Amino acid sequence: MRKRNLTGLLFAAAFVMAGTQFGSVEAQARPHHGEDWENRWEDRWDDDRWDDDDDDDCWDDDDDDRWDDDRWDDDDDDRWEGGHGHGNGNHGGGNNGEHRPATGGAVNVVYFCEEDNTVWANGVIWAAGLVDGKGNVNSSELTNVPEGYKLKEVGDFYYDGGAELRIQIVPEQKLGGMVNVVYVCEEENHVWANGEIWAAGLVDGKGNVNSSELTNVPEGYKLKEVGDFYYDGGSELRIQIVPWYR
């Protein structure tokens, strides 16, 4: 009886010790945070700080105004337009990019009249048709023509950008002119075509010719009358003469 009890006690003690060790091993294998450790770790990885889908706006290139700033937007930023920068390449600096030509400019006009052998430097006019200092000057822009004169030709005058543009002018009313004088002596029925004389009194080719200007009277003859003879601008002016002896 005693032997059986001792054996049973020893068996019971061994069973208890084995159970204790097994419990210790199971306890070591369990997570330190209890049974909900898996859910807790999942929540950490699902935090907004690590979630690209729901990430904070600081990582969102589409919504962040910092990345849409005009400083980086070549399409909208005026600083990158040609001619405003100082670099080369794509920034529109000192390269062969956009060139905006200067239109219009001042022109120093000098007028001259060959008939009078005179020259007028009447100053500067503004010509709208110039491009980078050269181009056409229209006659309508020549507003400082000398008084009493007009342009010999109208239209466009090319200006090469030099110191002056020379424009030819003529009197508004042509004063004086050549007259083909034909002398006639009725008494002797003679005619002399001694050529042309200069008549200062003509206006636009017509007017009075004074007897003092008839310097080519045929030798041995004199004017039948003295004074002014009207010239109508035709092909000739016929003047009566008589022999000297009369």
Side-chain angles (χ1 to χ4, degrees):
M1 181 67 180
R2 289 182 181 177
K3 186 177 181 179
R4 290 181 178 178
N5 291 336
L6 179 59
T7 300
L9 291 173
L10 291 174
F11 181 81
F15 183 81
V16 172
M17 291 178 63
T20 303
Q21 293 178 357
F22 181 80
S24 176
V25 172
E26 183 180 4
Q28 293 179 0
R30 292 181 178 178
H32 296 285
H33 301 289
E35 295 180 354
D36 60 341
W37 66 275
E38 184 176 357
N39 294 332
R40 297 179 63 183
W41 280 107
E42 289 178 356
D43 292 339
R44 292 183 60 187
W45 294 109
D46 197 32
D47 191 270
D48 287 341
R49 293 174 299 170
W50 314 102
D51 185 6
D52 290 340
D53 295 334
D54 301 325
D55 192 11
D56 188 81
D57 287 342
C58 65
W59 306 106
D60 186 4
D61 292 347
D62 293 334
D63 298 330
D64 190 1
D65 290 337
R66 294 183 303 167
W67 302 108
D68 196 29
D69 192 273
D70 285 341
R71 292 175 298 172
W72 311 103
D73 184 4
D74 290 347
D75 293 336
D76 299 330
D77 191 356
D78 291 339
R79 295 185 302 161
W80 305 113
E81 290 185 0
H84 296 291
H86 299 283
N88 50 21
N90 295 329
H91 291 172
N95 59 2
N96 294 327
E98 180 184 359
H99 170 66
R100 297 180 180 177
T103 57
V107 179
N108 181 35
V109 180
V110 174
Y111 301 97
F112 68 97
C113 179
E114 290 182 345
E115 296 179 10
D116 297 344
N117 194 27
T118 50
V119 177
W120 293 264
N122 279 9
V124 174
I125 58 95
W126 176 263
L130 302 188
V131 177
D132 287 340
K134 299 179 180 181
N136 290 328
V137 178
N138 190 265
S139 54
S140 62
E141 297 173 313
L142 300 171
T143 56
N144 58 348
V145 177
E147 185 177 0
Y149 290 81
K150 62 183 179 181
L151 299 175
K152 185 175 183 178
E153 298 178 356
V154 295
D156 289 331
F157 302 89
Y158 182 74
Y159 173 59
D160 61 2
E164 64 185 29
L165 173 64
R166 296 181 70 87
I167 302 292
Q168 188 172 0
I169 56 176
V170 294
E172 287 185 347
Q173 293 181 329
K174 185 177 180 180
L175 303 178
M178 304 300 294
V179 178
N180 181 33
V181 180
V182 174
Y183 297 99
V184 178
C185 179
E186 291 182 348
E187 294 181 10
E188 299 178 353
N189 196 25
H190 287 304
V191 177
W192 293 264
N194 282 7
E196 295 182 329
I197 56 92
W198 175 262
L202 301 188
V203 177
D204 291 336
K206 298 179 180 182
N208 291 327
V209 177
N210 190 267
S211 57
S212 62
E213 297 172 314
L214 300 172
T215 56
N216 59 349
V217 175
E219 185 176 359
Y221 291 84
K222 64 181 179 180
L223 297 173
K224 185 176 182 178
E225 297 179 357
V226 296
D228 289 332
F229 301 90
Y230 181 75
Y231 173 60
D232 62 3
S235 60
E236 64 185 26
L237 174 63
R238 300 179 73 87
I239 302 293
Q240 292 281 338
I241 57 175
V242 294
W244 267 107
Y245 59 87
R246 287 194 56 183

